[in-house]
Amino acid sequence: MPSGTFQNEISVALSTTVAGAQIRYTTNGQLPTVQSSLYSGTPLRFTRTTQLRAQAFAGGAAAGAPGTAMYVARTVTISHDLPVVVIDSYGAGRPDREYFDSALMIFDPAGGTTSLTGTPTVAIRAGFRLRGQSSSTFEKTSYRVEFWDNDDDADYPVLGMPAQSDWVLRGPFPDKSLIREALVYDLGRETGIHAQRYRFVEFYRNTDATPVGNDDYMGVYMLVETIKNAKERLDLKQLDEDDRTLPKITGGYIWKFEWMAAEEPILPCTGPTNTCWNYLEVADPDPLQPEQRDWLRNHIQEFHNVLRAPNFADPVTGYRAYIDVPSFVDQMILNELSREMDAYIRSAYFYKDRDTPIFAGPLWDYDLTFGVGGYFQNDQTAGWQYQQIRQPVANDWFNQLMRDPAFVNDVRLRWQSLRRGLLSDASLQARIDSLAAPLTNGAQRNFQRWPNLSTRMIGPFITPTSPTWQGQIQYLRDWMLRRAAWLDTTSGWGGPTTTPPPTTPPPTTPPPTTPPPTTPPPTTPPPTTAPPTTPPPGNTGCTATYTVTSQWPGGFQGEVRVTAGAAAISGWTVTWTFANGQTVSQAWNATVTSQGSSVTARNVSYNGALAAGANTSFGFLASFTGTNSTPTPRCTPT
């Protein structure tokens, strides 16, 4: 009798082709030994979920390979139009952080439907355990899954995904649309950044000794590939234990920032505490040899230090010598569009192959996005997520990169290009529709099992409260389009783009020794804009418009837009006076100096020349106490 499910009772006979051999078997998950139960020839009968393992013995020694089959007792007969995953732990209870032995079966729809009464497409021994940080506290928990053969990991293809042994069952819970993570993975894969394959499934988890029943239904899940250095995953060079010298020691590596959750091996940072990374965990290779650990730490430290050097933006010796810029650009766009509340600092992966730069990715953990979770307020469609650095610093690399006007220009160019295709409003809406359509019936069952649609707080996270799943999908759609619209503004990435000269000069103001105090969410209403200055008679000069783009307690970000008048100009100077003691701490796209309350900003080499009617912008970070009134800037052509 092959592995499968049954009702009431099942009868299983054993046989062997080894002449004269005895068959011994176990039902406790252990491989049989010569002392195990002897099969008498009478079929075995089971009334509860059982893992049956058998071995032929001849002359007191094992003969041939062992055999294993799982028989899962059930009472469920419901039909599903999504694939179904069943895990039964033989009555061992719910797992924690250690793998529990279990029977795992997958049923793939044929002709549009499937059920537990059918023949499984995968039936295998498996280990499963709890996974995640905040998600592990939810009733609808997520799990790591390993496929096992008789004595080791086993690679199996699953639901059209390539064969592997390691998987994750992700249960969307604060994400009541059920599709946020899938949406980001799909967009990432099409931009070219590495993202995991997945399939939506419905999941039954049975942890007691009774048959799989309706009360074991866990709802709609995603079966997702893990991030792993393997041929069908993230295919990097494999570092062996003896790869401890150049050139092999240079790759491949996978590491991640896990704010407040990193596990050994953790790479330390050298430098001031307020500018040094923390919580950097190496995911691969495992085990990590001491020489490999030292080489990787030193390489990352070099990159980290270069980001803070005076010539950090030099195209030859600066940060571009260390990273694959397009992957960093694409990850930033996806992080900012989705505004994942832990973006950049948790589940933030990077990898480096042998003789390659550092790549951003793969993408992971995007359920707290598009208005879910927030930074404890959920409608932040304006403002920047990369500025939400938490102390001690986990990863401020993107903050440092955004000091470089050339990198900002790269992001703007890429954003504006994607908005004409993959990330256009029409394309985004069509993708949401295509992801949601197959889930209609499954979503109904999911929210019968977990009636949380109108619940505002899911754990510590703020969530939308539409009383229907369709309303949750609409909330996602509306939030995403408003976020994209803000990114289209000049406060976002909708401003002018340039083609910088080969050697883009870095900002002339030194980088701050501490990150700007941007941890709290913006507390101000929409951006404050001062009226533009009046140009000289004949409109042959220039005008300047001052805008506060975001504000937090004690600090803010400003933008000044310079527009040429009726005639071209070759340079410009903008001046204004702060009335409330504000102080500029950092600037980009301009050389900014202060004398008391007076501020002077002069163009840099690549944005001074403006054709008639053309414009450019520069930005700055500043601090304030009390009031932050908006000054009136004055522009003078040079």
Side-chain angles (χ1 to χ4, degrees):
M1 181 65 65
S3 297
T5 68
F6 68 95
Q7 283 186 291
N8 301 321
E9 184 179 272
I10 192 169
S11 175
V12 183
L14 303 177
S15 64
T16 176
T17 59
V18 180
Q22 295 179 327
I23 299 175
R24 295 188 179 269
Y25 67 92
T26 62
T27 57
N28 63 358
Q30 301 299 312
L31 282 171
T33 67
V34 73
Q35 285 82 35
S36 299
S37 298
L38 176 66
Y39 179 63
S40 66
T42 302
L44 306 174
R45 296 185 179 275
F46 304 123
T47 59
R48 58 178 288 179
T49 297
T50 301
Q51 179 180 175
L52 177 62
R53 312 192 74 180
Q55 173 71 60
F57 287 87
T68 301
M70 285 73 59
Y71 306 103
V72 174
R74 60 164 173 81
T75 60
V76 176
T77 58
I78 298 172
S79 293
H80 298 265
D81 51 2
L82 290 174
V84 176
V85 175
V86 178
I87 292 181
D88 192 309
S89 64
Y90 310 111
R94 299 181 183 182
D96 194 355
R97 299 293 175 173
E98 298 297 325
Y99 282 106
F100 271 28
D101 188 11
S102 66
L104 182 144
M105 296 182 186
I106 300 176
F107 300 81
D108 200 2
T113 62
T114 190
S115 75
L116 273 64
T117 64
T119 301
T121 55
V122 174
I124 192 171
R125 294 181 66 235
F128 81 120
R129 66 170 176 83
L130 202 62
R131 71 158 301 278
Q133 297 300 320
S134 55
S135 63
S136 67
T137 66
F138 301 145
E139 296 174 277
K140 184 181 179 183
T141 43
S142 296
Y143 297 97
R144 280 290 300 264
V145 177
E146 281 188 354
F147 292 171
W148 296 340
D149 58 18
N150 282 309
D151 55 11
D152 206 349
D153 291 356
D155 294 343
Y156 276 80
V158 177
L159 301 175
M161 295 181 284
Q164 251 298 325
S165 61
D166 295 311
W167 305 84
V168 165
L169 276 164
R170 288 274 286 165
F173 198 56
D175 172 19
K176 291 175 279 191
S177 76
L178 306 175
I179 65 172
R180 280 173 166 83
E181 192 154 52
L183 174 62
V184 177
Y185 286 174
D186 286 354
L187 294 176
R189 196 175 300 108
E190 293 195 31
T191 63
I193 198 167
H194 192 91
Q196 314 316 302
R197 286 171 284 239
Y198 66 89
R199 283 289 301 274
F200 283 107
V201 301
E202 290 182 83
F203 177 42
Y204 289 83
R205 181 205 66 190
N206 187 28
T207 58
D208 59 30
T210 63
V212 176
N214 292 327
D215 58 344
D216 296 313
Y217 177 73
M218 294 292 288
V220 173
Y221 274 63
M222 292 171 64
L223 183 63
V224 188
E225 295 178 322
T226 59
I227 294 174
K228 183 177 182 179
N229 185 3
K231 182 174 178 57
E232 298 294 346
R233 299 277 172 92
L234 191 57
D235 190 12
L236 310 177
K237 297 290 191 302
Q238 294 283 351
L239 273 165
D240 297 327
E241 289 187 10
D242 57 353
D243 291 336
R244 306 187 186 205
T245 59
L246 293 173
K248 289 186 177 181
I249 201 172
T250 65
Y253 297 96
I254 306 171
W255 66 93
K256 59 179 176 175
F257 287 98
E258 286 287 6
W259 179 65
M260 302 293 289
E263 299 178 355
E264 290 292 346
I266 296 173
L267 297 187
C269 174
T270 302
T273 301
N274 59 358
T275 63
C276 225
W277 78 70
N278 208 339
Y279 308 114
L280 194 160
E281 174 185 337
V282 181
D284 197 274
D286 182 18
L288 181 69
Q289 301 305 315
E291 294 86 351
Q292 296 165 354
R293 177 187 177 119
D294 291 345
W295 187 92
L296 180 60
R297 193 207 72 82
N298 290 337
H299 187 74
I300 295 174
Q301 185 77 57
E302 285 180 18
F303 165 59
H304 183 85
N305 293 346
V306 163
L307 282 175
R308 288 159 174 76
N311 62 340
F312 82 106
D314 186 288
V316 177
T317 62
Y319 68 84
R320 290 175 186 264
Y322 290 84
I323 67 171
D324 175 75
V325 172
S327 69
F328 277 72
V329 167
D330 284 348
Q331 185 168 77
M332 184 167 205
I333 286 174
L334 292 171
N335 284 349
E336 293 298 330
L337 173 63
S338 65
R339 200 148 198 193
E340 208 281 330
M341 70 167 291
D342 287 328
Y344 307 106
I345 62 170
R346 181 175 284 176
S347 297
Y349 279 84
F350 301 86
Y351 64 93
K352 183 193 178 303
D353 207 351
R354 195 166 297 161
D355 300 323
T356 74
I358 297 167
F359 285 78
L363 303 178
W364 191 251
D365 204 359
Y366 281 84
D367 58 333
L368 301 177
T369 49
F370 302 107
V372 171
Y375 197 32
F376 307 119
Q377 62 177 1
N378 68 340
D379 197 31
Q380 296 184 71
T381 54
W384 298 110
Q385 186 61 31
Y386 75 88
Q387 294 177 346
Q388 308 301 312
I389 290 296
R390 301 170 210 176
Q391 297 294 337
V393 176
N395 170 23
D396 69 345
W397 293 347
F398 286 85
N399 300 62
Q400 301 302 319
L401 291 170
M402 289 297 283
R403 295 189 299 121
D404 179 19
F407 185 83
V408 175
N409 189 62
D410 289 341
V411 178
R412 282 181 175 166
L413 284 168
R414 179 64 166 159
W415 169 254
Q416 293 174 21
S417 173
L418 290 170
R419 283 290 278 162
R420 294 189 291 271
L422 178 67
L423 299 186
S424 68
D425 285 358
S427 178
L428 289 172
Q429 295 199 69
R431 189 174 297 275
I432 287 176
D433 292 340
S434 66
L435 284 169
L439 302 185
T440 301
N441 296 328
Q444 182 179 355
R445 286 186 288 269
N446 182 88
F447 292 109
Q448 288 173 348
R449 176 67 177 87
W450 308 109
N452 66 351
L453 286 166
S454 299
T455 303
R456 178 167 171 78
M457 297 301 298
I458 304 295
F461 308 121
I462 297 174
T463 67
T465 55
S466 173
T468 66
W469 174 65
Q470 290 80 4
Q472 295 286 339
I473 294 290
Q474 189 60 43
Y475 178 92
L476 164 62
R477 187 192 313 272
D478 293 344
W479 194 98
M480 180 174 59
L481 295 179
R482 286 188 291 118
R483 176 62 172 165
W486 184 85
L487 290 170
D488 284 339
T489 67
T490 55
S491 297
W493 293 322
T497 58
T498 61
T499 304
T503 54
T504 304
T508 56
T509 52
T513 58
T514 58
T518 57
T519 298
T523 57
T524 56
T528 304
T529 303
T533 55
T534 303
N539 195 25
T540 58
C542 58
T543 59
T545 303
Y546 178 107
T547 302
V548 175
T549 59
S550 63
Q551 184 168 303
W552 53 92
F556 66 100
Q557 179 173 323
E559 178 185 90
V560 176
R561 181 157 298 281
V562 178
T563 304
I569 61 175
S570 58
W572 45 263
T573 300
V574 177
T575 58
W576 68 85
T577 300
F578 282 129
N580 308 112
Q582 299 97 321
T583 302
V584 174
S585 60
Q586 181 179 339
W588 52 93
N589 284 0
T591 301
V592 177
T593 57
S594 299
Q595 185 172 1
S597 60
S598 299
V599 180
T600 301
R602 294 181 174 84
N603 65 272
V604 288
S605 62
Y606 52 86
N607 64 358
L610 297 175
N615 61 69
T616 188
S617 66
F618 63 91
F620 61 90
L621 297 175
S623 60
F624 74 99
T625 56
T627 304
N628 183 25
S629 60
T630 302
T632 300
R634 177 178 181 82
C635 182
T636 305
T638 58

